[in-house]
Amino acid sequence: MWQGEIAPGLLAVIANHETFWLYSEGGCVYAMGAALDLLEQFERTVIVTGTCYSAAVPILSAAEERYCTKNCSFMVHEPSMQGGDWAQTGQAISCAEELKRCSELYFNTLGARTRRRSQWWRQRCATGDYYFDAREARKVGLVDRVL
């Protein structure tokens, strides 16, 4: 079981377990990208319990088989970047371009692996965090079955 922030430790879990449980409030978009790369290489089953927020949602969507327990809570939102010294225009532009790239990875993954297009996911996040339950996750094609 992986419990906690999406971080490099999750990569070992993906590489070494055909089925793993996921309980996460999200985390680093770069660790999410690495997990997505691994999930393209290995057929994995993910079972979500508790929370599946932020970067954990595209990771779940990329699994071969996807399940959740009935009381799960899900949340998606636009990716964000922390920190940064915005004193220089070039640096601000560079960070904005990187944030756009991360956002495209996030929403395009959801659009490709669910019954909703990436634009649908973007619209849900336009005003902030978008929360939904296990039933909605099944309806939009994020999970194959609610346990």
Side-chain angles (χ1 to χ4, degrees):
M1 175 175 198
W2 181 259
Q3 179 177 350
E5 185 175 331
I6 300 302
L10 175 61
L11 303 179
V13 172
I14 293 171
N16 295 308
H17 300 279
E18 289 184 20
T19 298
F20 66 94
W21 289 74
L22 181 63
Y23 176 97
S24 178
E25 294 182 6
C28 175
V29 70
Y30 300 108
M32 177 197 80
L36 293 174
D37 290 343
L38 273 180
L39 285 166
E40 285 182 9
Q41 303 301 314
F42 302 107
E43 291 183 6
R44 296 294 184 247
T45 298
V46 177
I47 305 167
V48 174
T49 189
T51 59
C52 183
Y53 290 174
S54 188
V57 178
I59 291 170
L60 168 64
S61 78
E64 187 68 24
E65 295 181 48
R66 307 162 302 182
Y67 305 103
C68 72
T69 57
K70 65 182 178 180
N71 293 310
C72 277
S73 179
F74 297 84
M75 185 273 292
V76 292
H77 60 172
E78 292 186 346
S80 61
M81 295 180 85
Q82 295 183 358
D85 177 9
W86 304 107
Q88 297 178 337
T89 303
Q91 186 175 10
I93 291 169
S94 177
C95 288
E97 289 170 353
E98 178 62 3
L99 188 55
K100 181 180 178 185
R101 187 188 70 79
C102 292
S103 182
E104 288 173 359
L105 173 64
Y106 187 87
F107 291 117
N108 289 343
T109 299
L110 291 174
R113 300 287 299 166
T114 66
R115 291 187 195 108
R116 300 294 188 261
R117 295 181 182 198
S118 60
Q119 189 59 30
W120 185 90
W121 290 102
R122 285 180 194 279
Q123 289 171 346
R124 296 302 173 280
C125 300
T127 58
D129 297 346
Y130 175 64
Y131 292 88
F132 52 104
D133 62 14
R135 192 184 80 213
E136 179 75 6
R138 172 77 173 100
K139 181 180 174 184
V140 301
L142 181 59
V143 297
D144 301 315
R145 188 169 57 131
V146 178
L147 305 175

